[in-house]
Amino acid sequence: MSSFDEDEAFAAAVPLSQRAMAARPAPYLDELNPAQREAVEALEGPVLMLAGAGTGKTKALTARIAHLLNSGKARPNEILAVTFTNKAAREMKLRVARLLGMELEGMPWLGTFHAICVKLLRRHAELVDLKSNFTILDTDDQIRLLKQLIAAANIDEKRWPARHLAQVIDNWKNRAWTPENVPTAEAGAFDNKGVALYRAYQARLRTLNAVDFGDLLLHVVTIFQRHEDVLAQYQRWFRFILVDEYQDTNVAQYLWLRLLAGAHQNICCVGDDDQSIYGWRGAEVGNILRFEKDFPGATVIRLEQNYRSTAHILAAASGVIEANKGRLGKTLWTAADGGEKVRLIGHWDGEEEARWIGEELEAMGQGTRGLAPLGLDQCAILVRASHQMRAFEDRFLTIGLPYRVIGGPRFYERMEIRDAMAYFRLAVSPEDDLAFERIVNTPKRGLGDKAQQKIQIAARTNGVSLVEGAKILLAAKGLTGKGAKALGTLLDGLERWHRAVVGTAPPLPDDDDVLDDGLFAAPEPGVTAGPQVSHIELAQTILEESGYTAYWQNDKSPEAPGRLENLKELVKALENFENLQGFLEHVSLIMDNETDDGEPKVTLMTLHGAKGLEFPAVFLPGWEDGLFPNQRAMDETGLKGLEEERRLAYVGITRAERLCTISFAANRRIFGQWQSALPSRFIDELPEENVDVLTPPGLYGGGYGAAATAQPVRSDLHDQASRADVYNSPGWKRMQARSQSRGMSQPRESRNVTIDLDAVSSFGLGDRVFHQKFGYGAVTAIEGDKLEIAFDKAGVKKVVAKFVVPADSAGDVPF
Ligand code: ATP
Ligand code: MG
């Protein structure tokens, strides 16, 4: 056939509407290089983009979605696009909209594996013996449940902790093993009782109408495997599948994708084997390396130009990753100029490292180092372990430098929030026994251990939930007096709130309209809807009628006002959701806690959390052996663990666009203990020619003496003797040797240490204080010169004592 005939044949086969769509301009294609364009335009069949960091994989994937929509190949709800975090999903949606220059009307299936699986599971819950209003357990609930099962099996929880069992079960779920198909090789797990406990746990979850995180995928994979018709339906619906960060998929996720793509094979995966960093959570880098086998005839596209970083940064990252044996190996180049070399600096201790970075951040804002001024929001500090964040948080609070923690302790993990959420969960799903256990005697209702035991027994003997068990118990007069009355009131409340929830739930989707945004709550048979109230009013009512709000109002502890503020904040958060259930789901799925008041802030997050992101300036502190590479990772998985740590180093360096600063400390206080440390072995793997070694402030060259008197030195552990020990420590010596070999000036003699007595706090527990930035609060804990303060408005924070004044003298201080 001549090409003319082919065109004719194409024209005849393609409907006019689609041809008209195809003729629409596609400006987003002009922003791509030829290889990216190929990946975007090869819409049919399997495509793999396997390429290094910053080469535009995510950009191409986003353009591909835009192209699918723009060319009329797919409607928004026919595209299944999987990203690694909710934040990445939001970002991708925004970018597609921007590329197309229009509002995107829903992309219901663009999200994380978990978020998408929740929707799927709600539709088909009955196929795995759940109801569609199942609860998603958080780690705390999961552990509590496992503890009960361990106790029931007469196992000593001290020797065999619930957390360990949680990990074992999670691993199995990541491999898509149900209790029935855990291989015999695993039979020895958890003192030979792992499999039996796993079975009991799953059974218990079913009676609770609950799932854990791992179940979301496992159940959906099970449904797809057992119900061909359901799978076939989704294979037809999800006509195009796109996956970012494919190198970090685990077996369950991989199976899920293969099942869905099995029929049409329109799957486009992008990733980088060098950035596989979730092996410890079951990710298998083999998935990406096997792609061409799994999907024969796949178009494989390699991208080599890095658009993110300057040449020195890229070369430094490449130098480090080259030490890994198990990799494909890739060439990366950048058209950007050399730029700044990667900066390397060694510090005396972790506090000094934090102090220095704080100063750098402030200086950068004024445009130092020949770079245009960098705002705080253009800078990130990426740490290996979240406990490293404390030093930075303390420092930044002290100097008033705005920062945000991504993926750190979250609002929703606070006690009062979790209590309130337990009430909400019960209102949505009365069989949520874990929630019931949490609140049955909170606030105190005279329902102590004995009464709770009776409820448990009544529930168990009748094979019903705790709420039902409690009703039976009351009816049989098994409980009397004050406790019985209080329980009766609680049960009445729960019933009322549940009716109200059913009244506020959105209607069930039609069978032929199942592709809309699939969050729905099915009313249970026999429950009639109550009067229509908004879920916000309902939440407030629940907190009041249950006595929970009053409980904190009557509490005289310094934390109480802050907790009440938080409860208000919680109710406020509901405004962004259609109903309680949508909100509960959101909370179980959130992975980041960004608050945005518009003020530029430096980002503080873990290296793992930073995957896929980019920042003009990146600080990589704590490069010390044991901390990074992480000792536990190396102990547990040896060379494999070390290589994964090295990939993490590669991810870290390649987040930087223009300025990358690596630092380490000779001493660090970890979990209350001072430890001297050796600089990370990854530092020696950095190519010399791409690194600038900086002189630490004060320690080398001038200026130290002044700093020593100006800076308070901790009085608790850090006395002269321990400091002298540290000077003799191998870590310090190695650091000295390195600085000499790299041409740094010699450290001075051991410095004089002065102890700043002012730094010891003169405040007492419970004192009311005032802080310039956070306002009024009460001291809840004291550690040396640091105070933990429950601020009335800003919540609990740690602040250095000299930055607060007694509340009653606040007016006298010229802030
Ligand atoms: P990672 O491996 O870190 O996830 P990636 O390969 O997904 O990186 P992107 O985040 O898509 O890379 O792109 C990195 C940067 O390069 C982004 O700022 C992006 O806008 C830019 N970029 C990508 N492709 C091009 C291009 N063809 N022309 C100009 N800039 C590009
Ligand atoms: Mg990316």
Side-chain angles (χ1 to χ4, degrees), residues 155 160 165 172 184-197:
I155 301 173
W160 294 95
L165 181 59
W172 289 342
T184 40
E186 301 278 318
F190 208 72
D191 201 19
N192 298 318
K193 301 192 182 79
V195 180
L197 285 167

Side-chain angles (χ1 to χ4, degrees), residues 634-714:
M634 291 190 292
D635 290 347
E636 281 171 11
T637 43
L639 182 64
K640 215 170 138 211
L642 177 65
E643 296 214 333
E644 180 150 315
E645 293 290 299
R646 195 176 277 116
R647 289 194 291 271
L648 206 45
Y650 174 76
V651 168
I653 301 172
T654 54
R655 297 310 96 200
E657 294 170 9
R658 287 188 277 155
L659 193 63
C660 176
T661 309
I662 294 172
S663 57
F664 58 95
N667 307 286
R668 196 171 286 280
R669 189 155 65 151
I670 293 178
F671 303 123
Q673 299 283 324
W674 279 102
Q675 289 175 6
S676 65
L678 300 175
S680 168
R681 65 193 75 186
F682 299 151
I683 288 178
D684 285 336
E685 294 168 3
L686 292 164
E688 293 261 0
E689 62 276 19
N690 307 114
V691 177
D692 234 350
V693 181
L694 304 188
T695 305
L699 274 184
Y700 306 89
Y704 195 77
T709 41
Q711 301 293 345
V713 173
R714 227 181 337 272

Side-chain angles (χ1 to χ4, degrees), residues 464-484:
V464 292
S465 66
L466 290 178
V467 168
E468 289 304 316
K471 283 183 194 160
I472 294 172
L473 184 70
L474 281 188
K477 304 250 183 294
L479 203 66
T480 49
K482 198 173 140 239

Side-chain angles (χ1 to χ4, degrees), residues 495-505 527-535 537-538 541 545:
E495 193 156 346
R496 229 176 16 255
W497 306 328
H498 182 55
R499 275 181 208 286
V501 168
V502 176
T504 59
V527 178
T528 42
Q532 196 78 23
V533 285
S534 87
H535 61 292
E537 284 170 316
L538 176 61
T541 310
E545 291 185 355

